[in-house]
Amino acid sequence: MAYNFSEIKKFTTWRRLWLWLAKAQQTLGLDISDEQIKEMETNIENIDFDMANQEEKKRRHDVMAHVYTFAHYCPKAAPIIHLGATSCYVGDNTDLIVMKDALNILLPKLARCIQRLSVFADEYKSLPTLGYTHYQPAQLTTVGKRACLWVSDLCMDLRNLCRVRDDLKFRGVKGTTGTQASFLALFEGNPEKVDVLDRLVTEMAGFKSAYLVTGQTYSRKVDFDVLAALASLGGSVHKLCTDIRLLANLKEVEEPFEKDQIGSSAMPYKRNPMRCERCCSLARHLMCLIQDPLHTLSVQWFERTLDDSANRRICLPEAFLTADILLNTLQNVSEGLVVYPKVIEKHIRQELPFMATENIIMAMVKAGGNRQECHEQIRVLSHQSGAKVKEGGENDLVERIRKSPFFSPVKHQLEKLLDPTTFTGKSSDQVTRFLEEEVKPSLKPFAHWLDEIAELQL
């Protein structure tokens, strides 16, 4: 990703765009020789950055600085470099190429995160765990079912990123205000040749189509659309990693922790969820970046104003670079999650008796009891047990029910009524169906990239 947003990638792409333009113009009959084309091809990567920097200091125009630098090393082609084009021909088209390439870098990484978490979900699809609403114990779910909530969000992000990639079009050859007037003049008023020129350059750049209407730039709403998808990904990762951080506090699930890793300089016993904390930190930055393209879009006057430029040079690379390391770190986390079933079981035992009260009441009614009387008996015993728990004791509601003569008709059923696996509903089936019907098809296009392991220098 760093290379994708590097100076060398940017300026070699500019030169390729000038080459593609010249080739298309030659094809359509302009007086451009094979020798000129060959000279440009030979010097695509021969960039004299010192000369370009000196030219930019003198001319205060980055595109013209590189036109002069390219022309210096291509003296025969100098008269036809940038012919009929405006700065946005190289600037905007390069941005679109770079964003498309960046999305193609991110998508396999996101697919790997989904695949790793899907394996985790399948492995633990039947392991009961406390569900939480309002961060208070609620009905049981399973460890795998909870992981599917994370996977479901990431699958939405995968679809979003695929959509924005596939929606990207090329700016093409549109001239200074998008009217193509300069190219119409080059081809002596022949509109068909202008259309073919636009199509040829678009195809050489690897795009299926170009925007039919632009100002001097492509609409900055495109940037917003792309960064909105990245910000949404940030939100998904933040939620997922926050859940893992909370589970680490409960000692139920932990991120990878190396043998010699130190959690705290002062407290040697600590096992801080450092990777997930880093993900949350990066995700917040990624989510905040959506403001830049939104404001830039809103203040582009008429066909274009240049106050978009400096802002875009910061926010677009930052968004993709942040998303890239975010997914690298998330993959590392998802490849090494550790589950502690005994701790989970202990927490279930503390809460399950309260959750089972309705089942116990139903069993009593089936045995001939009165529902309201059963409810009152359970209420009194539950409050007594709850008070003991709040004083630091264990939940002894089950023992209180066993000892109560009132509940003698169902004492032999208590073990079955308190089996955690009977409280998880269709969790296991939901996991199996979700992975089979939604996740596997979404990962199929990325099958060749799923085996790569995330190695981090943390």
Side-chain angles (χ1 to χ4, degrees):
M1 188 65 78
Y3 170 77
N4 191 53
F5 285 95
S6 68
E7 295 287 91
I8 190 68
K9 168 73 177 280
K10 175 181 177 179
F11 295 123
T12 54
T13 303
W14 283 14
R15 292 187 174 193
R16 286 189 175 89
L17 283 160
W18 285 321
L19 173 64
W20 296 332
L21 180 62
K23 281 185 172 181
Q25 290 170 335
Q26 182 194 49
T27 299
L28 291 168
L30 292 190
D31 186 15
I32 296 173
S33 68
D34 290 341
E35 190 176 15
Q36 288 173 311
I37 296 293
K38 181 65 175 177
E39 190 177 53
M40 293 173 73
E41 288 176 334
T42 302
N43 285 281
I44 290 292
E45 297 184 2
N46 179 29
I47 300 177
D48 187 336
F49 283 101
D50 290 335
M51 178 182 288
N53 290 336
Q54 289 302 316
E55 290 287 349
E56 186 170 353
K57 285 181 180 179
K58 180 167 64 175
R59 304 180 190 282
R60 297 297 176 187
H61 197 289
D62 58 349
V63 173
M64 286 308 301
H66 279 268
V67 168
Y68 277 103
T69 302
F70 195 22
H72 177 81
Y73 288 90
C74 302
K76 294 175 183 176
I80 54 93
I81 293 173
H82 200 66
L83 183 60
T86 187
S87 298
C88 285
Y89 168 70
V90 289
D92 271 33
N93 282 324
T94 293
D95 287 343
L96 290 163
I97 290 169
V98 167
M99 283 199 291
K100 183 179 178 182
D101 290 346
L103 288 164
N104 282 327
I105 291 170
L106 291 181
L107 282 164
K109 294 186 177 188
L110 177 54
R112 285 197 291 270
C113 292
I114 292 171
Q115 191 268 342
R116 303 307 194 264
L117 289 170
S118 297
V119 171
F120 176 83
D122 190 53
E123 181 178 356
Y124 294 102
K125 64 184 177 183
S126 300
L127 180 62
T129 189
L130 283 177
Y132 290 89
T133 58
H134 315 275
Y135 201 37
Q136 302 297 316
Q139 277 194 340
L140 297 190
T141 182
T142 69
V143 172
K145 171 61 191 299
R146 176 179 286 142
C148 283
L149 302 181
W150 307 334
V151 173
S152 179
D153 287 349
L154 293 177
C155 283
M156 289 179 63
D157 296 315
L158 191 72
R159 291 194 295 272
N160 288 340
L161 292 180
C162 285
R163 180 193 62 78
V164 296
R165 179 200 60 186
D166 296 342
D167 281 355
L168 281 180
K169 296 183 180 182
F170 203 52
R171 177 190 175 275
V173 289
K174 297 298 193 293
T176 55
T177 57
T179 66
Q180 298 176 299
S182 59
F183 296 105
L184 195 62
L186 272 177
F187 291 107
E188 300 178 347
N190 187 327
E192 288 79 14
K193 285 192 173 182
V194 176
D195 289 343
V196 174
L197 179 73
D198 205 359
R199 177 176 58 79
L200 288 175
V201 175
T202 296
E203 290 174 354
M204 281 188 271
F207 285 78
K208 295 179 180 178
S209 61
Y211 296 109
L212 292 177
V213 292
T214 71
Q216 186 173 89
T217 70
Y218 66 81
S219 171
R220 296 312 184 215
K221 199 173 184 71
V222 174
D223 296 343
F224 171 77
D225 196 27
V226 173
L227 262 66
L230 296 179
S232 180
L233 170 64
S236 300
V237 176
H238 198 293
K239 183 265 190 291
L240 185 169
C241 289
T242 299
D243 282 358
I244 295 174
R245 291 165 66 189
L246 293 170
L247 289 167
N249 173 260
L250 297 171
K251 296 180 173 57
E252 293 188 357
V253 178
E254 287 184 342
E255 65 176 39
F257 196 92
E258 272 77 26
K259 175 178 175 290
D260 296 321
Q261 183 174 331
I262 296 173
S264 168
S265 62
M267 296 165 281
Y269 57 87
K270 293 197 75 179
R271 294 171 64 92
N272 298 334
M274 173 264 290
R275 292 168 175 81
C276 286
E277 289 174 321
R278 181 173 297 182
C279 282
C280 289
S281 182
L282 291 167
R284 285 201 305 275
H285 180 61
L286 182 56
M287 289 186 284
C288 288
L289 287 174
I290 187 61
Q291 294 296 323
D292 278 343
L294 182 59
H295 285 293
T296 297
L297 158 67
S298 71
V299 296
Q300 288 301 286
W301 305 344
F302 301 115
E303 280 65 49
R304 193 266 177 101
T305 56
L306 194 59
D307 61 347
D308 65 338
S309 181
N311 186 291
R312 295 176 68 251
R313 294 182 194 214
I314 298 170
C315 72
L316 295 181
E318 277 199 9
F320 280 102
L321 289 165
T322 303
D324 187 58
I325 190 59
L326 188 63
L327 289 175
N328 286 348
T329 311
L330 178 61
Q331 182 183 336
N332 179 265
V333 169
S334 62
E335 287 172 349
L337 288 173
V338 181
V339 178
Y340 297 101
K342 294 297 183 182
V343 178
I344 294 173
E345 183 183 349
K346 177 183 176 182
H347 291 158
I348 290 174
R349 286 200 307 268
Q350 290 173 339
E351 302 293 341
L352 188 59
F354 295 136
M355 299 177 188
T357 53
E358 185 66 18
N359 289 4
I360 294 171
I361 291 172
M362 292 298 101
M364 282 291 293
V365 171
K366 288 180 181 179
N370 179 289
R371 193 266 176 196
Q372 276 57 251
E373 290 179 2
C374 294
H375 184 278
E376 178 60 18
Q377 291 286 330
I378 286 279
R379 185 190 69 81
V380 171
L381 295 178
S382 295
H383 285 201
Q384 291 171 354
S385 181
K388 183 176 180 180
V389 170
K390 290 174 182 177
E391 292 173 356
E394 293 292 325
N395 187 332
D396 64 351
L397 177 59
V398 175
E399 286 307 308
R400 291 176 185 270
I401 292 173
R402 288 187 201 278
K403 293 176 182 178
S404 170
F406 182 84
F407 290 101
S408 57
V410 297
K411 284 182 182 178
H412 64 287
Q413 299 182 46
L414 287 179
E415 290 300 322
K416 183 178 179 180
L417 292 171
L418 290 165
D419 179 0
T421 61
T422 65
F423 288 80
T424 59
K426 286 173 56 63
S427 292
S428 181
D429 292 339
Q430 287 178 354
V431 171
T432 299
R433 184 178 177 187
F434 171 66
L435 296 180
E436 190 66 33
E437 295 183 15
E438 292 194 26
V439 178
K440 284 187 179 179
S442 70
L443 294 180
K444 194 172 182 180
F446 307 97
H448 295 300
W449 291 280
L450 293 181
D451 292 336
E452 188 173 329
I453 302 297
E455 295 183 4
L456 298 180
Q457 298 296 322
L458 295 171

